[in-house]
Amino acid sequence: MGEKTEKITIRVSAETAERLRLRAEAEKTTVTALLTEVAERDPRLELAAARFRELQKSSLVAEFAAAFPDEEPDVSDQTGSKAA
């Protein structure tokens, strides 16, 4: 059985509603699925990724790795093999 969902109501302009319907139709999905996907995106995650990329350029990452060798993040690629 799927995850329990809750019904909510939002108000959008007629133009926005039509654009949502057209996009959902083009993507062969539902307006609910489109809105759920957007709602579940957390913009803070991208900010964290950008900050991490900046930290990687600094000596802090190397210092952390040296101080806590068992705490290094998993750098596996999508195939499961370790990145070089």
Side-chain angles (χ1 to χ4, degrees):
M1 193 174 235
E3 181 181 354
K4 184 179 178 185
T5 61
E6 191 170 320
K7 183 177 180 176
I8 64 169
T9 301
I10 63 167
R11 294 187 184 281
V12 296
S13 69
E15 179 183 319
T16 299
E18 181 62 15
R19 288 186 2 234
L20 284 166
R21 281 190 288 276
L22 290 171
R23 180 171 174 183
E25 184 179 313
E27 294 183 18
K28 298 189 181 351
T29 189
T30 64
V31 170
T32 297
L34 287 176
L35 293 175
T36 299
E37 179 183 343
V38 170
E40 290 178 346
R41 286 188 204 145
D42 187 341
R44 293 172 293 181
L45 295 177
E46 182 51 41
L47 293 174
R51 178 70 179 128
F52 179 74
R53 286 189 294 273
E54 291 207 12
L55 281 173
Q56 283 181 311
K57 297 174 188 174
S58 76
S59 63
L60 295 176
V61 173
E63 289 175 23
F64 181 88
F68 303 99
D70 294 334
E71 300 298 326
E72 290 187 77
D74 181 11
V75 291
S76 299
D77 63 17
Q78 290 182 341
T79 63
S81 61
K82 290 283 184 179

